[in-house]
């Protein structure tokens, strides 16, 4: 099994994965490309987004360690491939899609594992859409920092975060400065979490 947080990762998949490294800025999937592999992220962060015809960009998700990329293609042919780009150096296990499909057909437990992961991902995205309408940016940003920090460090760009949370760059910058002034985080080549307990209290608040 791969790590404590991924205790349900099927052991039989581990031997099939080939380690791949993506540097910051590298694309894993591009629009128009056929998907032949899917990836399990060991560490690093990848943004998943769509560029619209009007020039605007929608960031659908940020995937970090323990997340899958491209696994939806195990069960259906995607009509529109979303862009996947590393926003920091990432290490993944690469799996051949055809081989995984065969395993899913032969092993109900593996198939259920992937179906459960996809369901949780969809429910998480639905929950975030609800938060956009009902909660403050302070609450959402505190939770976002905790979710995407690595080893107490948080390095995602304000531009990406503002697009993802559907708020202005200036609003994100204002709240980040507020968190710094309150001693919750410190600016250090990105940010270092200083008071994780207080960030969690804000994230769990009902405002």
């Amino acid at each position: 099994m791969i790590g404590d947080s991924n205790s349900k990762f099927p052991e039989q998949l581990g031997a099939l994965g080939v380690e791949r490294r993506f540097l910051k800025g590298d694309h894993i999937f591009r629009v128009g490309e056929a998907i032949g592999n899917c990836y399990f992220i060991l560490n690093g962060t990848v943004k998943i987004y769509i560029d619209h015809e009007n020039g605007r960009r929608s960031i659908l998700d940020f995937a970090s360690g323990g997340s899958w990329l491209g696994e939806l293609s195990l069960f259906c042919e995607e009509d529109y491939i979303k862009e996947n780009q590393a926003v920091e150096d990432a290490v993944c296990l690469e799996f051949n899609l055809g081989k995984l499909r065969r395993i899913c057909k032969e092993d109900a437990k593996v198939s259920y594992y992937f179906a459960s992961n996809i369901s949780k991902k969809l429910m998480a995205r639905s929950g975030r859409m609800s938060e956009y309408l009902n909660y403050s940016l302070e609450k959402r940003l505190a939770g976002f920092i905790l979710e995407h920090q690595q080893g107490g460090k948080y390095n995602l760009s304000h531009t990406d975060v503002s697009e993802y949370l559907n708020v202005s760059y200036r609003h994100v910058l204002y709240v980040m400065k507020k968190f710094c002034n309150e001693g919750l985080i410190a600016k250090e080549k990105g940010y270092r979490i200083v008071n994780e307990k207080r960030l969690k209290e804000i994230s769990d608040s009902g405002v």
Side-chain angles (χ1 to χ4, degrees), residues 165-179:
L165 296 178
N166 198 30
V167 295
S168 69
Y169 177 97
R170 183 174 297 180
H171 198 178
V172 170
L173 184 60
Y174 171 81
V175 175
M176 292 298 287
K177 286 183 176 179
K178 183 173 183 286
F179 285 170

Side-chain angles (χ1 to χ4, degrees), residues 63-81:
S64 300
S67 298
W68 283 88
L69 302 172
E71 80 283 10
L72 187 60
S73 292
L74 288 170
F75 301 102
C76 67
E77 296 294 336
E78 296 188 66
D79 294 330
Y80 187 85
I81 303 303

Side-chain angles (χ1 to χ4, degrees), residues 105-137:
K105 290 178 180 179
E106 296 167 357
D107 192 324
K109 290 183 178 179
V110 174
S111 184
Y112 179 80
Y113 163 79
F114 279 109
S116 296
N117 271 273
I118 292 170
S119 297
K120 290 174 182 177
K121 183 182 292 187
L122 293 175
M123 287 190 292
R125 287 182 183 175
S126 297
R128 282 194 295 272
M129 291 299 295
S130 177
E131 287 185 352
Y132 289 164
L133 301 175
N134 294 291
Y135 294 105
S136 68
L137 180 59

Side-chain angles (χ1 to χ4, degrees), residues 10 20 26 36 43 45 57-58 81 86 124 126-127 131 147-148 152 182 188 191 204:
R20 282 287 308 276
D26 286 350
N43 58 61
T45 303
R57 170 172 293 176
S58 295
I81 303 303
S126 297
E131 287 185 352
E147 181 180 358
H148 295 287
E182 293 176 354
E188 295 179 2
Y191 293 89
D204 292 340

Side-chain angles (χ1 to χ4, degrees), residues 14-203:
L16 299 177
V18 177
E19 186 174 297
R20 282 287 308 276
R21 294 178 179 269
F22 297 94
L23 300 179
K24 181 179 179 180
D26 286 350
H27 280 80
I28 300 174
F29 296 124
R30 286 183 179 272
V31 170
E33 292 181 344
I35 293 184
N37 299 300
C38 61
Y39 299 86
F40 181 82
I41 303 175
L42 297 175
N43 58 61
T45 303
V46 175
K47 69 177 176 182
I48 303 165
Y49 64 93
I50 295 174
D51 284 326
H52 301 284
E53 292 181 359
N54 62 6
R56 298 193 66 180
R57 170 172 293 176
S58 295
I59 297 181
L60 304 178
D61 209 349
F62 287 91
S64 300
S67 298
W68 283 88
L69 302 172
E71 80 283 10
L72 187 60
S73 292
L74 288 170
F75 301 102
C76 67
E77 296 294 336
E78 296 188 66
D79 294 330
Y80 187 85
I81 303 303
K82 297 172 283 294
E83 300 270 2
N84 285 231
Q85 184 181 33
V87 295
E88 57 189 14
D89 293 353
V91 181
C92 304
L93 290 179
E94 181 182 82
F95 295 85
N96 178 272
L97 201 58
K99 290 181 179 179
L100 284 188
R101 282 175 176 159
R102 286 195 295 272
I103 292 174
C104 286
K105 290 178 180 179
E106 296 167 357
D107 192 324
K109 290 183 178 179
V110 174
S111 184
Y112 179 80
Y113 163 79
F114 279 109
S116 296
N117 271 273
I118 292 170
S119 297
K120 290 174 182 177
K121 183 182 292 187
L122 293 175
M123 287 190 292
R125 287 182 183 175
S126 297
R128 282 194 295 272
M129 291 299 295
S130 177
E131 287 185 352
Y132 289 164
L133 301 175
N134 294 291
Y135 294 105
S136 68
L137 180 59
E138 285 84 355
K139 171 185 170 66
R140 290 186 284 145
L141 191 53
F144 185 86
I145 291 170
L146 291 173
E147 181 180 358
H148 295 287
Q149 60 84 25
Q150 298 199 38
K153 299 286 187 178
Y154 168 82
N155 296 303
L156 298 183
S157 76
H158 295 340
T159 299
D160 284 345
V161 175
S162 65
E163 290 175 351
Y164 177 66
L165 296 178
N166 198 30
V167 295
S168 69
Y169 177 97
R170 183 174 297 180
H171 198 178
V172 170
L173 184 60
Y174 171 81
V175 175
M176 292 298 287
K177 286 183 176 179
K178 183 173 183 286
F179 285 170
C180 285
N181 292 337
E182 293 176 354
L184 308 184
I185 57 177
K187 189 85 170 65
E188 295 179 2
K189 291 184 179 180
Y191 293 89
R192 174 174 57 86
I193 294 177
V194 177
N195 191 338
E196 183 175 354
K197 179 181 178 181
R198 179 57 186 149
L199 277 176
K200 189 162 191 319
E201 289 174 351
I202 295 172
S203 174

